[in-house]
Amino acid sequence: MAAEDQEEPKPVTAPSAEEKIDATFRNGSLTAAGIILGFSLSFMSHWASNPNDWSRIDILPMLLLTIGIALQVKVFADLLARDSLIATKYDRARRLFLIGIAIVAAGIGLALLNDIMGLGSMPMLG
């Protein structure tokens, strides 16, 4: 095998600012983000409308839920923008959305833990 017959491996480069994703792929991500945002808002609405009194320990889960949902709303708005088809902007939005989901999950987990341990006055388990 001659040296000129061998191909050199091409270096992996970061996506350029002009690299674009397919619009149908972005639309699917937008749909998924909207559904998850709807579930997050529904959970917070249901939990906040509970007729029981609030205690100080309930503030931290609600704060986490609010921050996580705010990130999800920002990402939803970013995905609706025309420039969201640019790969770097799409990737940033995707990362922020996953962070938002993790924060909402932490808030729900903390609220459940408070309920199980009997610390909070906003019961989730009935």
Side-chain angles (χ1 to χ4, degrees), residues 7 13-15 18 24 29 33 43 49 54 65 68-69 75 93 98 103 108 113 125:
E7 285 187 34
T13 58
E18 295 303 314
T24 56
S29 298
F43 174 82
S49 67
W54 288 79
L65 287 168
I69 289 172
V75 168
L98 292 175
I103 293 172
I108 291 171
L113 184 65
L125 300 176

Side-chain angles (χ1 to χ4, degrees), residues 38 74 119:
K74 185 205 179 323
L119 299 175

Side-chain angles (χ1 to χ4, degrees), residues 81-103:
R82 288 178 48 181
D83 64 351
S84 66
L85 292 175
I86 297 173
T88 54
K89 292 190 180 210
Y90 175 81
D91 290 340
R92 180 179 181 275
R94 184 182 50 83
R95 280 191 304 275
L96 277 177
F97 189 70
L98 292 175
I99 291 169
I101 289 174
I103 293 172

Side-chain angles (χ1 to χ4, degrees), residues 52-65:
N52 293 334
D53 293 331
W54 288 79
S55 67
R56 289 184 185 177
I57 198 122
D58 296 321
I59 293 172
L60 186 57
M62 185 55 82
L63 183 64
L64 288 173
L65 287 168

